[in-house]
Amino acid sequence: MTTDTAVAAAPAAAERPDPSPSARLLALSRRLPPWWPLVLCVLLGTIAGLGYGGLRTPNYTATSYVVVNPERGADTATALGFAHAYGRVVTNAAVLADAQAATGIPANELRNRVQAVTSPDAPMIEIVGSDARAGKAASNANEVARALTAYANASATSTGVRLSLLSKAPVPTAPASPSVWIAGAVGACAGGLLGCLLLLVKPSGRRRSAAVVPAPAAPAAAQPAREATP
């Protein structure tokens, strides 16, 4: 009887299917400490940040300065007003048409590689050029500054101000974009933030069973005392 039962149980044990991969992962996650999503997110964020920093094309920036000089009795306030006005037309087609011939970059693309900044208290225009190559970034800033100067000085007799190149943009020695290690640190911080959010929304794996409190026993009915028989 015992042998037949063991023989019948053997095929049943052999036919038991293996757990699925999802069940194995679930069982493995239950054995890990509860803070493992935070560590995993920080690790993945660091790897992603380092990969982005290493594969990203570096960006160089160079700055040239153009000053507005008042002429023929014009005051400093007039020069300051024209500095703001010419700062707005740096990326105008009339200015970039002259610069694109020297840089070899189309006007639409060159417009995205230059930026003008004006000072609120000085008649000066700051022209920032950017490019993936250091020498090209300086060339973009210098050629746009030259084109703006020529464009403004063509009407100097009517405006009463004249532009001059105060400082040419030097070739940058280091990219303006963050380094690989900074990108990795940013990725680690982003991963840590995501891991903390996952810990906040992750449901607890252990279900607390409600404690069953036994109901208090009903008091026994008072029975009348029996009189003692003599």
Side-chain angles (χ1 to χ4, degrees), residues 7 9 15 33 41 53 60 68 72 77 111-112 122 160 162 164 167 169 178 210:
V7 172
E15 294 177 358
C41 290
Y60 293 88
V68 181
R72 293 187 296 107
R111 184 177 290 107
N112 298 326
R162 181 172 292 273
S164 60
S167 175

Side-chain angles (χ1 to χ4, degrees), residues 19-225:
S20 61
S22 60
R24 293 178 181 177
L25 291 177
L26 182 60
L28 179 61
S29 63
R30 290 177 178 174
R31 299 193 198 101
L32 294 176
W35 41 263
W36 70 266
L38 176 61
V39 178
L40 180 61
C41 290
V42 170
L43 180 60
L44 293 179
T46 304
I47 295 175
L50 292 175
Y52 172 77
L55 299 177
R56 173 182 43 84
T57 303
N59 184 38
Y60 293 88
T61 59
T63 305
S64 61
Y65 296 92
V66 176
V67 64
V68 181
N69 302 308
E71 290 186 347
R72 293 187 296 107
D75 54 1
T76 307
T78 303
L80 182 60
F82 274 104
H84 288 277
Y86 284 126
R88 296 187 182 95
V89 300
V90 167
T91 56
N92 196 2
V95 177
L96 297 181
D98 187 16
Q100 69 176 355
T103 58
I105 302 175
N108 292 334
E109 186 176 351
L110 184 60
R111 184 177 290 107
N112 298 326
R113 298 188 185 185
V114 291
Q115 183 181 5
V117 181
T118 57
S119 175
D121 54 0
M124 187 170 56
I125 305 171
E126 179 181 346
I127 300 177
V128 183
S130 61
D131 199 273
R133 293 168 292 179
K136 200 66 176 176
S139 176
N140 294 340
N142 292 329
E143 293 300 332
V144 172
R146 181 194 58 80
L148 177 64
T149 302
Y151 172 79
N153 291 340
S155 56
T157 56
S158 59
T159 59
V161 295
R162 181 172 292 273
L163 273 63
S164 60
L165 183 61
L166 179 64
S167 175
K168 295 182 65 175
V171 178
T173 58
S177 52
S179 62
V180 178
W181 302 112
I182 295 180
V186 172
C189 293
L193 179 60
L194 180 60
C196 292
L197 294 177
L198 289 178
L199 290 180
L200 291 177
V201 301
K202 179 183 177 182
S204 177
R206 299 176 181 177
R207 296 182 178 179
R208 299 179 180 179
S209 57
V212 179
V213 180
Q223 297 180 358

